Amino acid sequence: MPKFFYLVVKNFSQIKKFNGHSDNITKMEVINMSGDYYVWTCSLDKTIKIWDPKTKKSVQELIDHRGSVNCILDRGQGVVVTVSRKERCAIFWRYYGNAP
């Protein structure tokens, strides 16, 4: 029988803030890249940004989409997929070695 746990949180405090997109963020994923975790965000501004959570700075910007980017999916083994519904396109990205 599965157990369900409920957590009630009364107060929130900001831990990290990532600034850099010029339009709304549509999706965020935390992805393990070569043993280090990075935050990936995609946006209506047609870009994907990869953030170092330690420095809170963008370390890479992916700009091949021509429409707003709506989805990020970590496929494992160094492959990440991004999707733009507006341009009806999915792009497969591969990272190598010491990412990013």
Side-chain angles (χ1 to χ4, degrees):
M1 177 104 184
K3 295 181 179 181
F4 296 95
F5 295 94
Y6 295 93
L7 176 64
V8 177
V9 179
K10 294 183 181 181
N11 297 311
F12 289 95
S13 63
Q14 181 175 301
I15 298 171
K16 303 248 184 214
K17 185 174 184 177
F18 302 94
N19 289 317
H21 283 286
S22 62
D23 208 335
N24 293 339
I25 293 173
T26 55
K27 179 81 173 169
M28 181 204 78
E29 287 289 326
V30 177
I31 296 177
N32 183 342
M33 298 172 65
S34 305
D36 289 316
Y37 287 92
Y38 290 88
V39 176
W40 286 55
T41 56
C42 60
S43 171
L44 297 178
D45 67 8
K46 305 176 188 174
T47 66
I48 300 103
K49 290 187 181 280
I50 303 172
W51 306 85
D52 182 338
K54 295 172 190 154
T55 65
K56 299 182 260 181
K57 294 185 179 181
S58 174
V59 294
Q60 184 79 39
E61 183 177 63
L62 309 175
I63 56 172
D64 283 353
H65 281 289
R66 290 180 303 227
S68 58
V69 188
N70 309 98
C71 186
I72 302 168
L73 177 62
D74 181 9
R75 299 297 300 151
Q77 299 179 339
V79 176
V80 176
V81 181
T82 58
V83 176
S84 171
R85 286 191 302 248
K86 188 173 185 177
E87 66 177 320
R88 298 179 182 147
C89 175
I91 296 178
F92 289 73
W93 306 89
R94 178 175 293 281
Y95 53 87
Y96 299 94
N98 294 331

